[in-house]
Amino acid sequence: MKTNGIKENLANIAEQTHDLAETAYKLAVIEATEQLTKVVSTTIIISVLLLLFNFLLLFLGFGIARWIGDSMEDIKMGYFIVGGFYLLLIILIVVLSKKSIVPYFRNFLVKKMYE
């Protein structure tokens, strides 16, 4: 009789352990899905904002180039000045990317993944 009780207890423990492992796995999948959803939704929002920001810069650049060109009475010069300004910005971003820009975005993504 005692052997049957031990076997039943071991069977119950094995079943409970299996249920616990299955529940832990499901919870891990749910948590990973939640984190992935947060990262993807944040990425989509940032992408849309960047696209809109690019259009903003494009039209502002055209407007400022036209304004500078009208004031200098040479439209082409206005476009060259604005183009040069954008070139300086690109050079500045490339120079600062390793020291400050890349670490900022890396830290931002890691923080978003662990929220």
Side-chain angles (χ1 to χ4, degrees):
M1 256 204 233
K2 197 167 190 172
T3 310
N4 283 342
I6 292 174
K7 286 182 182 178
E8 287 177 15
N9 284 343
L10 287 175
N12 286 339
I13 289 172
E15 184 179 335
Q16 289 174 356
T17 303
H18 179 267
D19 290 343
L20 182 62
E22 188 176 330
T23 303
Y25 172 75
K26 288 179 181 178
L27 180 63
V29 168
I30 290 171
E31 288 176 353
T33 304
E34 181 183 0
Q35 293 300 324
L36 182 63
T37 305
K38 283 181 184 179
V39 169
V40 168
S41 64
T42 302
T43 303
I44 290 171
I45 290 171
I46 289 173
S47 298
V48 169
L49 288 175
L50 283 174
L51 179 68
L52 292 173
F53 184 71
N54 283 334
F55 280 121
L56 174 73
L57 284 179
L58 176 72
F59 288 111
L60 278 176
F62 283 144
I64 292 171
R66 183 67 187 225
W67 179 60
I68 291 172
D70 284 342
S71 67
M72 295 181 72
E73 296 179 1
D74 187 7
I75 299 296
K76 291 181 279 187
M77 188 57 72
Y79 284 103
F80 281 121
I81 290 172
V82 171
F85 174 73
Y86 282 140
L87 180 62
L88 287 175
L89 283 178
I90 290 170
I91 292 170
L92 183 67
I93 289 171
V94 168
V95 169
L96 293 178
S97 66
K98 288 185 180 179
K99 291 182 181 178
S100 58
I101 296 172
V102 171
Y104 171 77
F105 283 111
R106 183 184 57 230
N107 292 339
F108 175 77
L109 289 174
V110 168
K111 189 168 78 173
K112 280 293 178 189
M113 288 180 71
Y114 288 106
E115 277 185 356

